[in-house]
Amino acid sequence: MKFSIVIPVYNESKNLPLLISQIYKVLKNHTFELIIIDDNSSDGTFEVLNKIKKKNFRFFIRKKRRDLSRSCVLGFDKSKYKNILVMDGDLQHDPKYIKKMYKTYKKYDLDIVIGSRKLLSGKNQGLSELRRFTSIILIYFFRIFKIKTNDPMSGFFIFRKEIYYKNKNFFFGKGFKILADFLINSKQNLKTRDITIDFNRRYNSESKM
């Protein structure tokens, strides 16, 4: 079980210590690296990250125009493992699901496993009705392209790094939903599967979208 975890962040100084602690606790017997890409936060995130002393932990500060997808891409380029997991830094994605996602990914030899929110059921504790409604519209839009997932806008997924390198010239490469970019613009039929997750409430930050 070897993979890189890439977390794009902006103004998450209050959430990161707890999130990083949870990740290392859940994955204490596994081989991974953790890469934080900060979009030049203004809340002291740099100082928080600079104090964290963990094995295989690195962070980078992007001082260009803020962009979640471009932060992810920087993380992909800096990663050393062939499998990459992306998640948010605001505690809405619970690290307890990482092992289940990775086991499914390996067991079925998939290209992408998606942490899927319960959008269609209306049971998303951390999602406003406006965002849920928008996401549902996009689910049906994606089905026009025969893309099989109940959460194409998820920010919690694991994928093969080679997908990025084989298709990066076709990706839009900017914006807030890099998974959607992968699913629409990859020039190959991707094998995907959803893992249903409980989406946590956001406490100390605002949606980047």
Side-chain angles (χ1 to χ4, degrees):
M1 187 174 180
K2 295 181 179 181
F3 59 100
S4 301
I5 300 175
V6 174
I7 305 180
V9 302
Y10 178 66
N11 287 349
E12 302 288 0
S13 63
K14 295 179 181 179
N15 296 320
L16 285 171
L18 177 57
L19 175 62
I20 292 171
S21 176
Q22 289 177 345
I23 290 172
Y24 276 85
K25 182 177 180 180
V26 167
L27 300 176
K28 62 181 179 180
N29 297 320
H30 302 286
T31 302
F32 70 98
E33 64 171 346
L34 176 58
I35 300 172
I36 305 289
I37 309 295
D38 176 54
D39 257 347
N40 203 20
S41 295
S42 58
D43 68 340
T45 293
F46 171 80
E47 288 76 14
V48 170
L49 292 173
N50 203 37
K51 291 178 181 177
I52 294 173
K53 308 299 179 184
K54 294 284 190 180
K55 183 179 179 180
N56 295 323
F57 170 74
R58 291 178 288 155
F59 70 91
F60 301 89
I61 308 297
R62 283 186 72 252
K63 293 188 177 180
K64 298 180 181 180
R65 182 176 179 179
R66 290 192 294 271
D67 188 284
L68 187 145
S69 289
R70 289 176 177 171
S71 292
C72 288
V73 165
L74 176 59
F76 303 161
D77 289 335
K78 296 293 184 181
S79 64
K80 66 181 181 180
Y81 293 123
K82 64 181 181 179
N83 307 303
I84 299 177
L85 182 134
V86 178
M87 65 187 300
D88 289 346
D90 55 14
L91 296 174
Q92 291 195 286
H93 297 150
D94 196 322
K96 71 180 182 182
Y97 293 107
I98 294 176
K99 289 194 287 186
K100 182 178 180 180
M101 290 169 67
Y102 190 84
K103 287 178 181 178
T104 300
Y105 170 75
K106 296 300 288 183
K107 179 179 180 180
Y108 297 101
D109 191 28
L110 299 168
D111 295 310
I112 303 178
V113 169
I114 300 163
S116 176
R117 299 164 292 181
K118 301 171 185 177
L119 295 169
L120 297 177
S121 69
K123 296 178 180 179
N124 277 278
Q125 302 93 327
L127 202 63
S128 70
E129 279 302 303
L130 176 59
R131 286 185 64 199
R132 187 176 78 87
F133 179 70
T134 303
S135 297
I136 289 173
I137 292 174
L138 289 168
I139 288 173
Y140 289 104
F141 173 76
F142 271 67
R143 287 179 180 175
I144 296 173
F145 296 94
K146 298 182 179 180
I147 293 171
K148 298 178 180 180
T149 176
N150 286 323
D151 196 357
M153 307 300 284
S154 175
F156 194 17
F157 60 97
I158 188 168
F159 70 99
R160 297 183 190 275
K161 189 176 181 179
E162 65 183 37
I163 293 172
Y164 163 65
Y165 283 115
K166 286 182 178 179
N167 296 281
K168 65 179 182 178
N169 290 334
F170 305 112
F171 293 150
F172 188 55
K174 57 184 177 180
F176 296 92
K177 297 298 175 184
I178 194 166
L179 174 61
D181 201 356
F182 275 35
L183 295 174
I184 290 179
N185 293 316
S186 292
K187 301 302 178 183
Q188 62 191 99
N189 293 322
L190 301 178
K191 295 183 292 181
T192 69
R193 181 169 294 207
D194 288 353
I195 294 293
T196 302
I197 65 170
D198 288 320
F199 196 57
N200 294 330
R201 178 183 171 189
R202 178 184 285 111
Y203 288 96
N204 294 312
S205 61
E206 296 180 354
S207 170
K208 296 166 189 60
M209 191 174 188

